[in-house]
Amino acid sequence: IMHSIIGASLQARWFPKLMKFYPMRRLIHWMIYQPALRPRWEKRLFLEPEKIPVVLRTRFFEDYRACAAFEVLFDLITPAWYQKMQAKTKNEPFYFLWGGQERVVAANFLDYWRNDYPAGQFEIVDDWDHFPMLETPEAFYHKLIDDILK
C-alpha cells in the first residue's frame, strides 16, 4: 500500500527542483519547525488543522525539527532513483491510496503512477489531504484494515 508518494512526479514539480540547493533545504527545514510559522504551515499541510489535537500537531513539528533525513532526502529520491526502482517493481500489484484534496503531491500527478505501474490499483479518497492519518485517523485506519487488507 502506497500513500501520496512522490517519485514519478519529481521532474514535474517545482518543490523538488527548489530543494536541489542544500542551503534551501536547510532554510525550509528550519522554517517548518519554527513556532511562529506553525499556523502558516498548518494551513498549508492540513485541510482542517483544528481537527488534529494540539499535542499531535506539536509533536509533528517537533519531529520535523529532529528529522535528519529531511535535508538528505532530496539527494536520495531523484528521478534517476525513481526510474531504477520503477523498472524493478513496475509489475508489482501495489495499492495506491491518494487524497482527493492532496496539496503536497496533488492527485493530478496520479497519471504518472498509473502509467508506470499498470498492475497497480488506484484509489482516490475525495475528502483526504496529505495526512489523513492525523486528520481523520479512524477513517484512515478503517480504509487500511477494513477495506484494503481484508
Side-chain angles (χ1 to χ4, degrees), residues 24-146:
M24 186 59 67
R25 296 179 211 175
R26 300 245 347 182
L27 176 63
I28 300 275
H29 186 203
W30 177 84
M31 289 172 63
I32 289 173
Y33 64 75
Q34 290 306 305
L37 296 175
R38 282 186 189 170
R40 188 169 200 86
W41 283 108
E42 287 177 357
K43 288 178 183 175
R44 173 69 180 110
L45 296 172
F46 309 118
L47 279 178
E48 299 178 88
E50 65 282 354
K51 286 188 173 181
I52 304 169
V54 173
V55 67
L56 287 180
R57 282 184 280 151
T58 301
R59 177 66 187 259
F60 176 88
F61 289 103
E62 287 173 359
D63 287 348
Y64 254 99
R65 180 183 193 122
C67 181
F70 183 86
E71 293 173 18
V72 297
L73 175 69
F74 300 93
D75 291 327
L76 303 173
I77 299 180
T78 64
W81 169 86
Y82 171 76
Q83 290 168 356
K84 182 179 172 184
M85 296 308 297
Q86 188 272 336
K88 291 180 182 179
T89 60
K90 66 182 175 187
N91 295 316
E92 295 294 325
F94 293 122
Y95 191 98
F96 292 84
L97 187 57
W98 220 278
Q101 302 299 312
E102 171 73 61
R103 296 168 298 154
V104 176
V105 183
N108 63 323
F109 290 113
L110 194 54
D111 287 341
Y112 287 102
W113 293 97
R114 285 187 175 122
N115 290 332
D116 290 348
Y117 290 93
Q121 292 182 35
F122 297 85
E123 181 177 358
I124 297 175
V125 181
D126 290 334
D127 57 343
W128 282 6
D129 192 9
H130 193 67
F131 295 104
M133 67 289 294
L134 296 176
E135 293 187 277
T136 56
E138 288 183 21
F140 185 74
Y141 170 85
H142 288 295
K143 175 59 68 183
L144 292 179
I145 302 303
D146 298 341

